[in-house]
C-alpha cells in the first residue's frame, strides 16, 4: 500500500510540475508551486525529487517517452513510409495542442540553458525515426524525386517544430494541426492519399 501511495504521489507531483512548467516556464516555477498544485507539502515533493532540476529532467524524459509512444502507434498502422511520416507529424501536432506534458517538455527544451542538469538531445530519436521511414521509401525505388532521407527528415522536423513554436506564440497552438496539414501538403503532398486527408480541411475523409 505504501508503495502504491508513493507511485500515485510521484504521478501527482509530475503532473503538477508539467502544468507549472508549461504555463510559467522553468525560471518562474518553484517547488512550492508544484507542492500546492499537487496538494502536498514541499517536504513531500523533496522526498521524491531532489530539486527543481530533477523535476525538469523527469518531465522532459516523459515528453520524449510520449513522443516515442506516438511514433510507435503510427508504426503499427503499417502505412506506406510517406504516409507514416505525415501521420506522425499530424499526431504530434495534436499532442502538442492537447497534452500538457508535451507542452511542458517543449518549453523546457527551449529553456535548457537555464536548467542545471543535462537534458536529452532535442528531437534526435524523432528525426531518426522519420529518416528510417524515408529511407525505406527511397529504397523501394518508386520515388526518385525525393531528397536524401536524412536531408528531408531534417527539413520536415525543422519545419514542424518551427510551426509549433509559431503556433504556440500566436495562437496557443490552437491552429497547429492546420499548420501541420499545410506543411505536409507543401513538402510531401503525395502522402495525402496514404492517410486520407480531405482536400479542404485537416480531417480524414
Amino acid at each position: 500500500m505504501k508503495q502504491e501511495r508513493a507511485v500515485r504521489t510521484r504521478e501527482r507531483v509530475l503532473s503538477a510540475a508539467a502544468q507549472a512548467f508549461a504555463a510559467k516556464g522553468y525560471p518562474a516555477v518553484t517547488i512550492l508551486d508544484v507542492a500546492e498544485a499537487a496538494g502536498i507539502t514541499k517536504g513531500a515533493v523533496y522526498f521524491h525529487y531532489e530539486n527543481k532540476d530533477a523535476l525538469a529532467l523527469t518531465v522532459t524524459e516523459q515528453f520524449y517517452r510520449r513522443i516515442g509512444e506516438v511514433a510507435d502507434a503510427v508504426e503499427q498502422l503499417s502505412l506506406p513510409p510517406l504516409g507514416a511520416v505525415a501521420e506522425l507529424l499530424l499526431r504530434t501536432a495534436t499532442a502538442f495542442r492537447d497534452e500538457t506534458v508535451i507542452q511542458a517538455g517543449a518549453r523546457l527544451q527551449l529553456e535548457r540553458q537555464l536548467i542545471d542538469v543535462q537534458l536529452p538531445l532535442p528531437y534526435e530519436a524523432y528525426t531518426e525515426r522519420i529518416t528510417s521511414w524515408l529511407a525505406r521509401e527511397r529504397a523501394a525505388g518508386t520515388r526518385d524525386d525525393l531528397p536524401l532521407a536524412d536531408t528531408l527528415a531534417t527539413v520536415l522536423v525543422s519545419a514542424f517544430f518551427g510551426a509549433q513554436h509559431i503556433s504556440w506564440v500566436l495562437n496557443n497552438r490552437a491552429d497547429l494541426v492546420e499548420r501541420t496539414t499545410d506543411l505536409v501538403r507543401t513538402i510531401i503532398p503525395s502522402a495525402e492519399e496514404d492517410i486520407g486527408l480531405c482536400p479542404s480541411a485537416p480531417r480524414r475523409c
Side-chain angles (χ1 to χ4, degrees), residues 166-182:
I166 293 170
S167 178
W168 172 38
V169 171
L170 296 182
N171 297 299
N172 198 30
R173 299 191 177 94
D175 64 346
L176 181 53
V177 173
E178 288 79 5
R179 287 177 182 267
T180 304
T181 300
D182 290 341

Side-chain angles (χ1 to χ4, degrees), residues 30-193:
T30 67
I31 293 295
L32 180 59
D33 292 332
V34 175
E36 290 179 344
I40 60 177
T41 66
K42 286 175 60 177
V45 175
Y46 281 120
F47 178 80
H48 292 284
Y49 296 95
E50 181 180 1
N51 50 36
K52 189 169 72 167
D53 289 339
L55 275 172
L57 175 59
T58 306
V59 170
T60 304
E61 289 172 343
Q62 279 194 323
F63 163 71
Y64 282 111
R65 186 157 52 248
R66 179 69 187 115
I67 291 288
E69 290 170 354
V70 172
D72 289 343
V74 172
E75 188 93 56
Q76 292 174 9
L77 297 176
S78 300
L79 293 168
L82 278 183
V85 172
E87 183 72 19
L88 175 59
L89 292 172
L90 289 164
R91 290 192 181 204
T92 305
T94 301
F96 266 87
R97 185 193 64 193
D98 298 341
E99 299 182 23
T100 302
V101 71
I102 297 290
Q103 297 161 3
R107 185 161 189 169
L108 289 169
Q109 283 291 12
L110 290 176
E111 298 168 341
R112 60 188 296 122
Q113 293 183 339
L114 305 174
I115 303 171
D116 194 23
V117 66
Q118 186 172 357
L119 300 182
L121 290 175
Y123 313 119
E124 191 175 51
Y126 192 86
T127 305
E128 289 174 355
R129 181 81 68 118
I130 290 178
T131 300
S132 70
W133 290 343
L134 293 173
R136 290 210 305 263
E137 183 77 31
R138 283 183 62 89
T142 57
R143 292 296 309 276
D144 294 334
D145 58 319
L146 287 178
L148 293 176
D150 56 349
T151 300
L152 183 53
T154 299
V155 168
L156 285 166
V157 173
S158 299
F160 172 77
F161 286 103
Q164 78 81 22
H165 182 77
I166 293 170
S167 178
W168 172 38
V169 171
L170 296 182
N171 297 299
N172 198 30
R173 299 191 177 94
D175 64 346
L176 181 53
V177 173
E178 288 79 5
R179 287 177 182 267
T180 304
T181 300
D182 290 341
L183 184 159
V184 167
R185 287 173 170 158
T186 301
I187 302 179
I188 47 173
S190 60
E192 286 190 57
E193 296 180 3

